[in-house]
Amino acid sequence: MSLSGRHIVLGVTGGIAAYKSADLARRLRKAGAAVHVVMTPAATRFVAPLTFQAVSANPVHTDLLDPSAEAAMGHISLARRADLVLIAPASADFMARLAHGLADDLLATLCLATRAPIALAPAMNQAMWENAATRANVNVLRERGIHLLGPGEGEQACGETGEGRMFEPFDLVAAAGKLLSDGFLSGLRLLVTAGPTQEAIDPVRYLSNRSSGRMGFAVASAAADEGGEVTLVSGPVTLATPAGVKRHDVDSAQEMRAAVMRYVGGADIFISTAAVADYRPAVPWKRKIKKKQVGFQLELTRNPDILSEVVKASPRPFVVGFAAETEDLAAYAKQKLHAKNLDMIAANPVAEAGVGFDSAENRLEVFWRDGHCELPRMDKRLLARQLLQLIATRYAAGKSGTN
Ligand code: PMT
């Protein structure tokens, strides 16, 4: 990944993860970027500015009112020079200040003054990340087009385990590269679902389907390669997380719905590749059902229709559904497009040998309100890229009002 010739302002706020940011500065520089470090006063209590000066090979900026900076307006010259403002770690406090437009230190002021994209790598205790105030701030920041890189899940410095770990420097360099890349999804946030759902019958049995997750993972991977910021909500599958993709695992349709509704506020495009179970056992047995029972009735109840809820979200993303059909592909797909009020639907003929569920290849017939396109049989990874090109074109047409 080359960041050659790019100017990155690396903002460092007060948090224990600041020690990793020295490595991040070093890696950004190694990738060719000119790195200008701006530290908040709290950050300087965790790591000395001299460390960042040594690894970035540039002076470190800490003061808003710095007489030695260009005409005492260092924030303006830094803001103009930046191709990207990357803030890592971004503390809960800093995100709150940014959400409220405060300009009470150099870094916050620079964020108000810059026209460059801003990316945050949050790092905080998991309870702070889950707190309603932080969630509200995150929504405000996402709506303003600020990119959120993470946080990841795992063991935290405070001894707790959960969501709130700063992404590793290696991943942040890759994400910075994507944000600065010219991929056709650059600057867009995509939410993708993949895989089957499992609906519990009892503690050891479930209802599910044959989806392997391959199609959805191919879509997520291709979207990240094209510069998109991708969140993948996946049912139970055995696939590795594609590089640069944020993943959230679920089991049931209800869990998938909750995860999708949690992330959809920040998404420009939603792609529903998952094979969501339409029904679940009305009351799952609490104990394993014993074999000696001769027979029993399994009462099923409808699962929530996730797509139908997403199209009612505000702001509403560009919504792409999938349709797995065994007959009358076009007729059923168009019916779903209109009934679910989708922007686009990609239908696959799952009864055909070698395509659809759990296969390396697929073929798609794609429909939108006033158009149609056939993507012939090919490897799911190539197909995903072609589908995304189509989606990006329709999305752009919608934005410019030409569809
Ligand atoms: O995972 P693979 O093995 O690679 O297989 C890929 C695939 C065949 C699963 C995939 O290409 C595909 O077709 N996914 C959609 C399958 C499906 O559930 O189709 P459907 O016609 O039942 O649903 C239509 C749309 O509504 C889908 O976008 C689905 O995600 C969505 N849906 C369905 C039910 C529900 N309760 N909520 C939903 O949002």
Side-chain angles (χ1 to χ4, degrees), residues 315-360:
R316 180 196 193 277
F318 185 89
V319 182
V320 183
F322 265 68
E325 304 296 346
T326 51
E327 61 208 326
D328 296 333
L329 190 76
Y332 282 127
K334 283 192 219 162
Q335 190 185 318
K336 280 179 188 164
L337 176 77
H338 295 295
K340 296 197 180 202
N341 190 22
L342 308 177
D343 296 299
M344 191 181 260
I345 193 155
N348 34 202
V350 289
E352 255 175 52
V355 299
F357 287 101
D358 199 13
S359 55

Side-chain angles (χ1 to χ4, degrees), residues 193-196 209-217 237 239 253 256 270-279 302-310 320-325 332 336 340 342 345-350 355-364 380:
T193 63
N209 59 64
R210 292 173 44 216
S211 171
S212 62
R214 286 164 98 161
M215 191 68 236
F217 275 58
V237 297
L239 302 173
M256 185 169 276
F270 174 62
I271 307 175
S272 186
T273 317
V276 186
D278 286 318
Y279 295 93
R302 278 300 292 265
N303 265 329
D305 190 293
I306 302 171
L307 272 179
S308 305
E309 292 190 33
V310 168
V320 183
F322 265 68
E325 304 296 346
Y332 282 127
K336 280 179 188 164
K340 296 197 180 202
L342 308 177
I345 193 155
N348 34 202
V350 289
V355 299
F357 287 101
D358 199 13
S359 55
E361 295 185 334
N362 205 4
R363 83 170 177 88
L364 293 173
K380 281 180 178 168

